[in-house]
Amino acid sequence: MTRPNILLIHTDQHRYDCIAANGHPLLRTPSLDRLAEEGMNFTQAYTPTPVCVPARNSLMYGQWATRHLAIANWDTEAPRPAHDDLPTFSQTLRDAGYYLGCVGKWQVHPTRGPLDYGFHAYEDEQRYEGWRAAQDLPPRPHSDRRFGARDPIASEQSRLAWGATHVITQIEQATPPFFIRWDPGEPHLPHILPEPYFSLYPPETIPPWNSFPDPLKGKPYIQAQQRRTWKLTDWTWDDWAIVVSRYLGQISLLDAQVGRLLDALDRLGLAENTLVIYTTDHGDLCGGHGMIDKHYVMYDDVVRVPLIARWPGHIAPGRVCDAFVSHGLDLAATFCEAAGAAIPPTFQGQSLVPLFDGALDNGRDSIFATYHGNQFGLYSQRMIRDRRWKYVWNATAQDELYDLGTDPGEVRNLATSPVHSSALTRLRQRLVVWMEVTGDPLLNGWTRAQLQEGLAI
């Protein structure tokens, strides 16, 4: 097998349903739609943990956060880096002879950067402000994190365009085989973007998510507290539609830059031997359930992520795959196998290469996610979902059970419903088995009894 170049576009906080190819009724994303038409679109990809630092460490180390232990962002009460002695997919690729380049944000380690992880070149997104100043452009405007701001520049002067330009430069200068990743800070809030993207989607045209409104009846207290902390309790959809408008505009600007990267691969004659993957670290509530950002929830708004792959000669064009995929864990293994390198034994994911090559299934009948807390304090959650049901074990709060067949917005918590007790018991038992297999330290004598004996509420 000829070793492919690999281009990873790994964004920050992109909802699964915010791509036209994934069903959004208004959003225009012709470049991502093209990628899906020419490759494979995964419909059931889930982040291992819906927070930036833990998710990005899971991608780097191919492990659950319960194993690498970087469980929260740095500005929290648990700013712990991952174990230093764990193998990474990046060093594995470098040892296999790959050239590695990186552009954008990092968020893997507080003091060690990409060059310490085997990358040959790194262009830090934080240098964009200096570039603006050198171009005699005004600083990026400060913004309310919710409503965003109009940036008085041209779209080709935006941070996204700056990042894409540096990715193209790295592609042009790299010696194949190469692995180049772009980690833009968008579409994470605050949404600071130029025209025409700032006004591209009028708020009054945007329909509510299927998770809005949500009275949060019978749900953990922390969800209502999140609304109060962010001062969102009285917001109507008219308020939220402004936020969503900016979010969608940011995604269309991002999509235009993805198009530039695809065009560059075509221009350089590299497209036929390049595995291109588009994905993100986690989703965004963005008004779903009346909340913002991501934290203390396991709703599909934040745990389900877009994942699109194109690899000519391996992936037949236009394929849709509904196998359960664990974003970071499976991608780490995928990069190693595609590069012809041995997958480190510490990795806990499954390579996607068999699915690329035509396998119809990967053997999974369910998918999992973890959460450990962040800026409002530590808070342990574990999630399992199968084709119909989602169960969220909140170790210090009431549990959640959703029938995704009848309630895809996850509004009605059925965990205390006697009619659905069999589904609840089955998923709790399945969760215990998974925690055993993955070595989850939260599973102990007390929590095992809580799950297996029905002591959780």
Side-chain angles (χ1 to χ4, degrees):
M1 179 178 71
T2 301
R3 296 192 300 170
N5 305 307
I6 302 172
L7 173 61
L8 170 64
I9 307 169
H10 187 252
T11 65
D12 193 345
Q13 205 151 302
H14 189 168
R15 291 175 62 108
Y16 167 82
D17 52 10
C18 282
I19 295 176
N22 290 347
H24 196 281
L26 299 176
L27 186 57
R28 297 193 287 275
T29 53
S31 301
L32 292 174
D33 296 349
R34 172 193 168 187
L35 203 60
E37 290 167 1
E38 296 175 353
M40 175 181 286
N41 192 0
F42 291 86
T43 65
Q44 299 297 330
Y46 282 77
T47 180
T49 179
V51 187
C52 299
V53 169
R56 291 165 186 270
N57 274 274
S58 288
L59 171 61
M60 183 58 63
Y61 295 105
Q63 287 191 330
W64 293 98
T66 52
R67 304 301 295 168
H68 62 66
L69 296 182
I71 63 172
N73 289 345
W74 309 128
D75 56 345
T76 67
E77 61 181 311
R80 178 170 54 189
H83 294 301
D84 287 337
D85 58 348
L86 292 172
T88 64
F89 82 79
S90 55
Q91 190 61 53
T92 301
L93 264 58
R94 177 163 179 153
D95 292 344
Y98 270 69
Y99 175 89
L100 278 71
C102 181
V103 176
K105 64 191 302 183
W106 179 235
Q107 289 192 311
V108 172
H109 195 281
T111 59
R112 298 171 60 212
L115 302 186
D116 299 307
Y117 284 76
F119 286 84
H120 294 84
Y122 174 46
E123 191 65 40
D124 191 339
E125 188 174 80
Q126 295 183 21
R127 296 175 185 162
Y128 169 69
E129 289 294 349
W131 177 86
R132 279 182 75 127
Q135 305 300 310
D136 292 324
L137 296 172
R140 291 183 90 209
H142 291 289
S143 161
D144 180 295
R145 288 176 63 83
R146 294 166 289 187
F147 290 110
R150 182 186 286 107
D151 198 345
I153 59 172
S155 60
E156 59 267 24
Q157 298 168 322
S158 66
R159 189 169 72 176
L160 279 166
W162 176 91
T165 297
H166 281 286
V167 175
I168 292 170
T169 299
Q170 287 197 1
I171 292 173
E172 291 173 338
Q173 296 178 350
T175 300
F178 60 74
F179 174 94
I180 294 175
R181 62 181 291 176
W182 181 30
D183 290 75
E186 291 82 5
H188 192 294
L189 50 78
H191 306 301
I192 300 171
L193 67 164
E195 296 290 3
Y197 297 96
F198 186 82
S199 305
L200 191 58
Y201 300 100
E204 63 273 14
T205 67
I206 299 173
W209 312 116
N210 61 10
S211 58
F212 184 93
D214 186 345
L216 303 182
K217 182 179 179 181
K219 297 189 177 184
Y221 163 88
I222 199 168
Q223 296 188 25
Q225 182 59 53
Q226 201 233 41
R227 284 185 186 172
R228 289 188 289 270
T229 301
W230 284 93
K231 302 178 182 178
L232 305 170
T233 304
D234 298 324
W235 274 32
T236 67
W237 184 251
D238 288 342
D239 299 307
W240 279 114
I242 299 171
V243 179
V244 180
S245 168
R246 313 299 187 237
Y247 183 67
L248 299 182
Q250 196 78 270
I251 292 171
S252 282
L253 176 57
L254 169 63
D255 181 84
Q257 307 314 311
V258 172
R260 291 179 61 205
L261 302 188
L262 299 181
D263 290 345
L265 292 175
D266 290 338
R267 172 175 56 84
L268 296 168
L270 297 170
E272 290 302 307
N273 192 39
T274 299
L275 167 60
V276 179
I277 293 180
Y278 180 91
T279 190
T280 190
D281 52 1
H282 51 76
D284 191 332
L285 284 159
C286 201
H289 304 275
M291 290 183 275
I292 202 166
D293 211 3
K294 57 263 179 197
H295 297 306
Y296 303 94
V297 297
M298 287 289 193
Y299 296 124
D300 268 16
D301 308 67
V302 298
V303 293
R304 191 180 182 192
V305 296
L307 176 57
I308 305 172
R310 186 187 74 178
W311 190 6
H314 288 262
I315 299 175
R319 289 180 58 196
V320 176
C321 180
D322 66 354
F324 283 121
V325 171
S326 188
H327 145 273
L329 279 67
D330 290 352
L331 287 180
T334 301
F335 298 147
C336 294
E337 181 170 356
I343 299 172
T346 55
F347 281 19
Q348 295 179 289
Q350 296 180 3
S351 170
L352 303 179
V353 170
L355 293 173
F356 294 165
D357 288 339
L360 300 179
D361 188 62
N362 60 1
R364 289 188 180 131
D365 60 6
S366 52
I367 195 71
F368 300 85
T370 71
Y371 182 78
H372 311 272
N374 213 62
Q375 73 262 47
F376 304 152
L378 299 181
Y379 182 81
S380 294
Q381 293 180 293
R382 302 292 186 268
M383 182 209 85
I384 174 175
R385 73 149 292 178
D386 59 20
R387 296 296 175 184
R388 176 178 173 182
W389 297 94
K390 177 187 285 187
Y391 169 61
V392 181
W393 175 45
N394 298 291
T396 56
Q398 60 263 58
D399 287 359
E400 298 168 78
L401 178 69
Y402 301 105
D403 183 346
L404 301 175
T406 61
D407 179 27
E410 302 169 86
V411 174
R412 299 184 299 275
N413 183 10
L414 303 175
T416 60
S417 168
V419 177
H420 303 98
S421 60
S422 61
L424 181 69
T425 299
R426 177 177 59 82
L427 292 172
R428 281 176 171 169
Q429 300 292 344
R430 180 72 181 87
L431 183 63
V432 168
V433 172
W434 174 78
M435 293 176 74
E436 290 174 339
V437 170
T438 58
D440 193 325
L442 187 58
L443 186 66
N444 54 48
W446 295 276
T447 57
R448 183 187 295 272
Q450 185 179 340
L451 289 164
Q452 291 185 323
E453 299 175 24
L455 303 180
I457 60 169

